[in-house]
Amino acid sequence: MNSSAKIIKVSIVKTYLKNIFEDIGKATLFTTRFFKEVAKTSFEFKEFLWQCYAIGYKSLPIVSITAFIMGLVLTIQSRPTMAKFGAESWLPSMVGLSLIREIVPVITALICAGKIASGIGAELGSMKVTEQIDAMEVSAINPYKYLVVTRIMATTIMIPILVIYADFIGVFGGYIGYNIHENMGFYRYFSNVLEHLEFLDILPAIVKTFFFGFAIGLVGCYKGFNAENGTESVGKAANTAVVTASLSIFILDMIAVQITDLFY
């Protein structure tokens, strides 16, 4: 490799690293500003309620279908293996624990990252490109408080609620999957699931969903609020919001699992 090629390669690496550190710095300032705005007394409660409706209620169909399929498929796929060891009676509790502790929180958060983070990124990106955010500032409206704080608060609260709802739907899907080959009553199946659930199975799974929701809202708002000029940036903001939010969920889940493991 000649010297000019080495110089070009070093220059590309420097530019890449510079962009990464700049993005981390901007994201840190963006997050810090969120906590400062939340600490202030005024709050856009009406907009917050609307975002809760848009994020929570409108996500129910896709969350319901996904959770039901997860429970159904996991039960059907696990049954042959459990049958080999003569442990079919443990199938309801095994499926319930797997769904509630790990599968439902992560899959539901990923589904919401695809739907909600991209939606917020595209919406705020469009407002940035069409200068609606600038117009709000001119009109003495704090766009950060009105657009960003309300959306992040809504996702932080609604994602855990959606996950709890998806837990019930997933267990119901497991009940349907179990009764395809076996025969067990509805009350007995749910009693079997609840009998083997402990407090430490449920609490960490719910707590980490608050962080999932915060990450989804924060990433979607950050990408949309900092979209560049031009219509192409709207699509870019939506796509990068999904990728970054999904990656954030996996990283947060890995940290949560490591912390939870200390208590077992």
Side-chain angles (χ1 to χ4, degrees):
M1 184 182 295
N2 56 41
S3 58
S4 60
K6 284 184 179 178
I7 292 171
I8 293 172
K9 189 175 180 180
V10 170
S11 177
I12 292 172
V13 172
K14 282 183 177 178
T15 305
Y16 181 72
L17 291 175
K18 181 184 175 185
N19 291 336
I20 289 177
F21 285 117
E22 282 184 354
D23 207 32
I24 291 173
K26 288 180 181 177
T28 303
L29 292 174
F30 193 82
T31 307
T32 305
R33 186 178 176 185
F34 167 78
F35 289 108
K36 286 181 179 177
E37 294 289 350
V38 168
K40 294 179 180 176
T41 53
S42 59
F43 186 71
E44 301 288 347
F45 193 68
K46 190 175 180 181
E47 176 65 13
F48 166 72
L49 289 180
W50 167 251
Q51 291 304 323
C52 286
Y53 166 78
I55 292 168
Y57 181 74
K58 291 187 176 181
S59 299
L60 284 178
I62 190 170
V63 169
S64 302
I65 294 169
T66 307
F68 180 81
I69 292 174
M70 279 191 288
L72 183 72
V73 171
L74 182 62
T75 303
I76 293 173
Q77 293 280 25
S78 301
R79 183 182 167 280
T81 304
M82 300 291 283
K84 283 183 182 177
F85 297 97
E88 288 169 287
S89 61
W90 287 85
L91 189 57
S93 57
M94 189 278 290
V95 170
L97 278 171
S98 302
L99 288 172
I100 293 171
R101 286 185 62 177
E102 185 64 25
I103 297 175
V104 167
V106 173
I107 299 298
T108 303
L110 289 174
I111 292 294
C112 291
K115 182 180 183 297
I116 297 169
S118 63
I120 292 175
E123 182 185 12
L124 297 191
S126 299
M127 294 180 73
K128 183 69 180 296
V129 170
T130 55
E131 300 182 347
Q132 293 181 54
I133 293 178
D134 296 333
M136 292 177 73
E137 290 179 342
V138 173
S139 304
I141 298 173
N142 185 343
Y144 192 95
K145 198 170 190 66
Y146 187 82
L147 300 174
V148 175
V149 172
T150 52
R151 282 163 175 76
I152 295 177
M153 290 288 290
T155 53
T156 305
I157 291 172
M158 294 312 297
I159 297 301
I161 294 174
L162 286 172
V163 168
I164 293 172
Y165 167 77
D167 283 336
F168 285 102
I169 299 297
V171 172
F172 179 72
Y175 163 74
I176 298 296
Y178 187 85
N179 278 275
I180 290 176
H181 298 285
E182 305 292 336
N183 187 18
M184 182 180 284
F186 186 78
Y187 178 78
R188 187 182 165 197
Y189 183 90
F190 274 82
S191 297
N192 199 328
V193 173
L194 295 174
E195 185 181 349
H196 295 89
L197 275 177
E198 296 179 359
F199 183 70
L200 281 177
D201 296 320
I202 301 173
L203 183 64
I206 299 301
V207 170
K208 67 183 180 184
T209 57
F210 284 96
F211 293 94
F212 291 168
F214 180 77
I216 291 170
L218 181 69
V219 170
C221 290
Y222 173 72
K223 295 296 181 183
F225 208 76
N226 291 283
E228 299 173 354
N229 293 327
T231 53
E232 291 182 0
S233 63
V234 177
K236 184 180 177 182
N239 290 333
T240 54
V242 174
V243 175
T244 309
S246 300
L247 184 61
S248 302
I249 289 166
F250 281 120
I251 293 172
L252 288 171
D253 186 57
M254 181 185 67
I255 296 170
V257 168
Q258 294 296 324
I259 294 173
T260 306
D261 192 54
L262 297 174
F263 297 94
Y264 284 94

